[in-house]
Amino acid sequence: MTTTAPVVHLRGGGTSVVVTTSGGRLPRVLHWGPDLGDLTDDDLAAMETTASPAIGDSAVTYPQPVPVVAQLSEGWLGRPGIVGDRAGAHWAPRFEIDDVVVERATDAERVRVTSSDAAYALSLGVEIELLASGLVRVRAEVGNTGDSPYEVRSLDLGLPVPATAGELCDLTGRWALERVPQRRPFDVGSWVRESRGGKPGLEHAFMMLAGEPGFANRSGRVWGVHLGWSGNHALVAERTPAGVRRLSGGELPWPGELVLGPGETSTTPWLYGSWGEGLDDLSHRVHRWLRSRPAHPRTPRPVVVNTWEAVYFQHDLATLERLAEAGAAIGAERFVLDDGWFTGRRDDTTSLGDWTVDATVWPDGIDALADRVRELGMDFGIWFEPEMVNLDSDLAREHPEWVFDAGHGPGMPSRHQHVLDLAHPGAYRHVRDAMIEVVERLDVAYVKWDHNRYLLDAGHSPSGRAGVRAQTLAAYALMAELKELRPGLEIESCASGGGRVDLGVLQLTDRVWPSDCNDPHDRLEIQRWTSLLVPPELQGTHVGARDSHTTHRVHPLDFRAQVAMWGHLGVEVNLLEASEDELDEIRAWVGLHRSFRALLHSGDVVHADASDPALRLEGVVSADQEEALFQLSVVDRPATWPPGRVTLPGLAPERRYRVRVVDPVGRGATGVLPPWNAIAEGVVLPGTVLSEVGIEAPSLDPDRAVLWHVAAV
Ligand code: DGJ
C-alpha cells in the first residue's frame, strides 16, 4: 500500500524499526532495537519531533537523524552515502522522495522509497526490510536517467545505534586462524574494515558490532551489521563529534567497475543488521532467518569423509576405495574427493583449469570410485576451484588472455596460481561445461568450491579494466547455473578455509568451510565466532588428525570429536591408519552426532559467560526448550581448582530438567569430576537453578571437554 504517514513502524521478531520519510528526505531510522509495542501515528510523530537535536552556534547542521544513504548536500560530513560522478560533475547528489510504499507480509514488513535528483538525472530506490526473525536488511538501487554515463564509486548504507553503544567489536584472522575478535572503544572517528582481495578474506571483519561496554554472550545490548557480498567491500563504525553513531557498509568497486549507462540501474547487496540482549540473541535473529528460507538445507546433514588431510594429492583408486569403505563403516554418508583428481594435478603447482579426469592416475575414470561410494550407501562429492588457473596448465597455455592482467602481466602467483577471468564468456563456458561434464557423469551430489588466491591484479584483458566486481557476479552466476541444472546439488564455500563466508554466498551454497585448522583448540573459537552468523548445520566441522596438520598440537580423539560435533560433521583423519579401537571410537562419536543431529541443526545456539576465561560452555537448545545438549570445554588452566559452577543458558525457567553426562566411548573425562557426575541417571533441577545458579564444573585438564544432555522431565 502507498502511505502518506511519514513515520512508519515496522515490527517483527521482538524488533522495532521506526523509519521516517518526512520532508521528502531520504529515509531515516529513528529506532532500531527492541520492540516498542503498539504506537499510534501521534506517538510516531512525537517520536520524530523529539529525535531532532538542538543545533548550537557554529555547528554544522548535520541532518540528524542521518538517512540510510547519507548525503553531503544536506550537511553530512561523515562517510558519504553515494560517491559518484558524471565526467567529474554531479558528484554531490540530493535526492528527494517521489513515493513511499509500505508492505506488511508474514515473512517481512518493508518500506520501499523511490526518489530522484532531477538536476543530476539520477534515481535512487531504498528498501528497508524487517524480516520475521527480527533481522533488518537494507539495500538501494541507483539509476542513471540521463543520457551520458554515470560512475558510482561507492554506495554505503548505514543504520544508527544509540549512545549507549560505547564499545566496538569486529573480527580479523589469517590462514587457519579465522575470526579472531578485536574490541575497542567507540571513539569519535571511523573504524573502517575493508576487503579488497575479491573475497571477504581470511581476515574478514565479518560483522561490525557496537554495544554496551562489556557486551557478552548473554548480556549487554549489542547491534551489528554485515554485508551480504562476496566481493570487495567495507564495514564501518562511525561516530561524529555531533553525537551520531552509525554502522554502515557497502561495496568497494575499483575505478570503472560500476558505470551506469543511460537508463541503467544497479542494486547494492543487502546490508544486514541484527541486535540482541547479548550476542546469542543477536545471532538467533540471523540463524532463524536463514532457517526460514525455502532453500535452507532441511535433509539430515550427511556425515562427510573428506580425502584432503587423509591422502592429499596421493590419489589412487584402491586406496580411496578402502578409505570409502572405512568411511561407510564408521557411519559416514558422504565421500568427498578433494584436490588432486584432474589432469596433471600431482601437487599444488600446476593444472588448475584443466578440469578433466587425469587419465594417468585414473585410467578407467573416477566412475568406479563414485559407484563404489554409492554402493556403500554414501553420496559422492568432488572438489573444484573454478575461478583459478595455474600458468602451468593447458588452459593458460591455450588462453593466456583469460588470465587476469591489470597491465603488467599476470602478476604475482599465490599458492603458485592466478585468477581466471570468468567475465570472459569463453572462460566462463570452459569452466561451466567442464564442471557440468564431471558433475553429470559422476552423479555428483556435492561440490567443494575452493578459492585460494586473492584478486591482486584482476584486469580484464585486453583492456586491463578492473574485473573484480564482474568476477564476483560471474561466480554467483555459475553457482546458480549449476544448482538450476542439477536440483539438489549442494555446494560448499571454501576459500583457503574460511575466506568466503558471507550471507551473499550463503544464498547459493549449503555449507561453509570455516577453516583449514582442524586443531580442536583453535577450532572451538573459530566455530564460535563463525556462528555469529552461520548456524551449525551450515558449518563444516571435521575430526582432524591427532597431530594437527596446521598447528602440530596433539589432541586425543575425544576432544577432536567433541569439538566437531557442533556443526555439519565430517572426518578428515586418515581412517586407513587408525587402529581398530580408534575406528570404534570414531564410529561411536559419529553415531552420537547422528542421534543428536536433528537437535543440533535446528535449536538455538547458546554460550554461557563463564567467569573463568579457561572455560567455554556452549549448547544448543531445542526451539520448544524440551531438550538441549551442552559442552563444557576447558581450554587453559583455570584460575581456581575446582573451577566453580557454570550456568546452562537458554532453558525454560519454569520447567524441570534431567542433566546427565554423555560419554559414548565410556572412557570418562580426564580430570577430577564433581560427585554429581557419578550419578548414572543424572540429576533433576529446575531451569531457574540451571540457568541462574549453575552446576559444578569438573576439573578437567586443558583441551578436554564434557558433554551434558538436558531433557525436560
Ligand atoms: C584449501 C582448502 O581449504 C582445503 O580444505 C583443501 O581443499 C585444499 N585447498 C586443496 O587444495
Side-chain angles (χ1 to χ4, degrees):
M1 80 187 192
T2 303
T3 179
T4 44
V7 190
V8 179
H9 186 190
L10 307 177
R11 294 176 74 189
T15 301
S16 281
V17 174
V18 179
V19 181
T20 178
T21 53
S22 64
R25 293 180 47 216
L26 289 180
R28 286 140 280 151
V29 172
L30 301 179
H31 167 81
W32 163 39
D35 181 51
L36 300 176
D38 288 333
L39 297 176
T40 63
D41 283 351
D42 288 348
D43 296 335
L44 293 169
M47 203 176 147
E48 171 159 38
T49 307
T50 52
S52 296
I55 305 292
D57 281 354
S58 301
V60 177
T61 53
Y62 292 129
Q64 292 191 41
V66 182
V68 169
V69 179
Q71 310 196 87
L72 170 73
S73 56
E74 290 184 319
W76 170 247
L77 294 179
R79 195 175 171 87
I82 294 188
V83 179
D85 67 294
R86 197 185 296 279
H90 295 180
W91 56 276
R94 184 190 303 214
F95 290 96
E96 281 176 23
I97 289 183
D98 298 318
D99 194 23
V100 179
V101 175
V102 179
E103 290 168 357
R104 299 191 192 273
T106 45
D107 61 337
E109 300 199 343
R110 60 182 73 85
V111 185
R112 289 182 212 268
V113 171
T114 47
S115 70
S116 53
D117 179 336
Y120 278 17
L122 291 174
S123 66
L124 183 74
V126 178
E127 199 172 342
I128 302 171
E129 191 167 63
L130 179 58
L131 299 153
S133 74
L135 185 68
V136 63
R137 58 181 185 176
V138 295
R139 67 178 174 185
E141 182 196 76
V142 59
N144 178 9
T145 52
D147 50 17
S148 61
Y150 190 87
E151 175 157 12
V152 180
R153 295 170 193 274
S154 65
L155 204 172
D156 259 46
L157 303 159
L159 292 168
V161 295
T164 47
E167 185 172 55
L168 298 178
C169 176
D170 62 317
L171 308 186
T172 179
R174 58 179 167 85
W175 178 70
L177 194 62
E178 294 86 339
R179 281 175 266 298
V180 178
Q182 50 180 4
R183 289 185 180 235
R184 71 200 61 248
F186 198 165
D187 289 332
V188 170
S190 298
W191 175 245
V192 181
R193 294 294 315 282
E194 297 184 341
S195 294
R196 290 189 178 272
K199 58 181 166 183
L202 299 162
E203 61 294 317
H204 188 205
F206 205 55
M207 240 193 159
M208 186 61 76
L209 298 159
E212 292 169 356
F215 65 83
N217 295 318
R218 310 292 305 175
S219 66
R221 196 168 285 172
V222 55
W223 294 259
V225 298
H226 165 89
L227 195 74
W229 180 242
S230 310
N232 290 351
H233 69 276
L235 287 180
V236 183
E238 181 172 23
R239 177 177 165 194
T240 74
V244 174
R245 290 173 203 239
R246 294 177 95 221
L247 300 176
S248 66
E251 263 188 77
L252 282 178
W254 291 119
E257 282 196 320
L258 193 43
V259 179
L260 300 175
E264 286 182 350
T265 60
S266 174
T267 304
T268 66
W270 287 108
L271 180 82
Y272 292 88
S274 190
W275 76 280
E277 304 291 355
L279 291 168
D280 283 353
D281 192 26
L282 172 145
S283 296
H284 292 162
R285 295 196 159 85
V286 187
H287 294 183
R288 286 176 189 155
W289 169 66
L290 283 167
R291 287 170 170 171
S292 72
R293 300 166 308 149
H296 192 74
R298 287 193 168 72
T299 48
R301 302 290 74 216
V303 176
V304 170
V305 163
N306 184 286
T307 61
W308 181 239
E309 287 196 355
V311 300
Y312 290 104
F313 292 100
Q314 307 310 308
H315 286 198
D316 144 70
L317 176 61
T319 309
L320 289 167
E321 274 184 346
R322 284 197 297 122
L323 188 63
E325 284 154 14
I330 55 104
E333 298 153 309
R334 170 171 289 166
F335 185 86
V336 181
L337 184 64
D338 210 292
D339 194 358
W341 58 267
F342 47 97
T343 304
R345 184 74 164 177
R346 302 282 62 80
D347 56 34
D348 65 6
T349 61
T350 74
S351 306
L352 289 170
D354 297 344
W355 302 113
T356 50
V357 175
D358 190 306
T360 58
V361 179
W362 300 94
D364 301 315
I366 295 176
D367 313 56
L369 176 67
D371 289 345
R372 180 75 185 120
V373 162
R374 278 186 288 273
E375 241 171 59
L376 290 163
M378 299 182 284
D379 67 30
F380 184 73
I382 197 161
W383 180 95
F384 282 98
E385 199 175 358
E387 296 139 272
M388 297 292 153
V389 60
N390 284 111
L391 296 185
D392 183 3
S393 65
D394 291 342
L395 176 64
R397 280 183 286 272
E398 278 161 35
H399 290 286
E401 76 283 7
W402 291 351
V403 180
F404 269 131
D405 177 350
H408 305 96
M412 288 192 314
S414 169
R415 206 196 186 207
H416 314 282
Q417 66 196 53
H418 288 78
V419 186
L420 189 71
D421 179 359
L422 287 184
H424 265 289
Y428 182 93
R429 255 196 320 272
H430 167 88
V431 176
R432 182 200 56 197
D433 292 352
M435 288 181 83
I436 290 172
E437 163 78 27
V438 172
V439 165
E440 285 189 335
R441 182 177 177 114
L442 299 176
D443 194 11
V444 167
Y446 173 87
V447 166
K448 176 174 177 180
W449 185 306
D450 210 340
H451 186 291
N452 287 299
R453 185 188 189 273
Y454 287 96
L455 274 61
L456 306 175
D457 28 42
H460 190 69
S461 70
S463 65
R465 291 174 73 93
V468 176
R469 185 164 196 275
Q471 182 80 351
T472 309
L473 294 172
Y476 283 171
L478 187 50
M479 288 174 188
E481 205 177 331
L482 286 172
K483 287 200 141 219
E484 205 180 306
L485 198 77
R486 302 274 304 172
L489 176 76
E490 294 188 8
I491 300 179
E492 176 182 58
S493 175
C494 169
S496 304
R500 186 154 62 184
V501 180
D502 62 83
L503 294 181
V505 85
L506 267 173
Q507 304 315 309
L508 295 157
T509 55
D510 307 275
R511 188 194 210 236
V512 299
W513 182 230
S515 180
D516 276 354
C517 180
N518 290 320
D519 167 337
H521 178 90
D522 289 342
R523 249 314 180 118
L524 195 65
E525 291 300 295
I526 295 167
Q527 290 170 198
R528 187 272 166 270
W529 288 100
T530 303
S531 78
L532 207 51
L533 293 172
V534 183
E537 64 275 21
L538 302 184
Q539 278 203 55
T541 53
H542 292 183
V543 182
R546 181 177 165 278
D547 301 31
S548 159
H549 291 200
T550 49
T551 66
H552 303 289
R553 286 199 197 105
V554 175
H555 288 104
L557 180 58
D558 288 0
F559 190 51
R560 285 180 276 143
Q562 283 161 327
V563 171
M565 282 284 289
W566 295 88
H568 178 177
L569 182 68
V571 174
E572 221 150 313
V573 177
N574 187 351
L575 296 172
L576 300 179
E577 288 175 357
S579 68
E580 283 305 318
D581 284 352
E582 281 168 333
L583 290 173
D584 285 345
E585 289 186 22
I586 295 173
R587 187 180 306 113
W589 284 110
V590 168
L592 187 78
H593 173 84
R594 285 172 58 166
S595 70
F596 282 121
R597 146 170 87 179
L599 165 67
L600 289 167
H601 292 172
S602 65
D604 284 343
V605 180
V606 296
H607 305 85
D609 290 306
S611 52
D612 191 317
L615 307 181
R616 296 281 187 281
L617 188 291
E618 65 198 307
V620 168
V621 182
S622 65
D624 58 8
Q625 294 175 303
E626 276 279 318
E627 190 188 9
L629 194 67
F630 291 96
Q631 177 164 300
L632 174 80
S633 307
V634 177
V635 295
D636 205 339
R637 311 284 318 266
T640 63
W641 189 256
R645 288 182 202 170
V646 285
T647 52
L648 304 185
L651 300 171
E654 70 285 0
R655 308 187 69 163
R656 298 174 70 76
Y657 293 94
R658 181 180 304 283
V659 186
R660 61 177 183 86
V661 176
V662 181
D663 178 9
V665 175
R667 185 184 300 111
T670 328
V672 188
L673 306 182
W676 76 264
N677 269 240
I679 307 171
E681 69 277 17
V683 288
V684 175
L685 282 166
T688 42
V689 174
L690 291 169
S691 58
E692 298 299 333
V693 182
I695 50 178
E696 220 18 73
S699 298
L700 302 182
D701 293 337
D703 286 353
R704 300 292 187 272
V706 284
L707 277 167
W708 296 323
H709 181 244
V710 174
V713 293

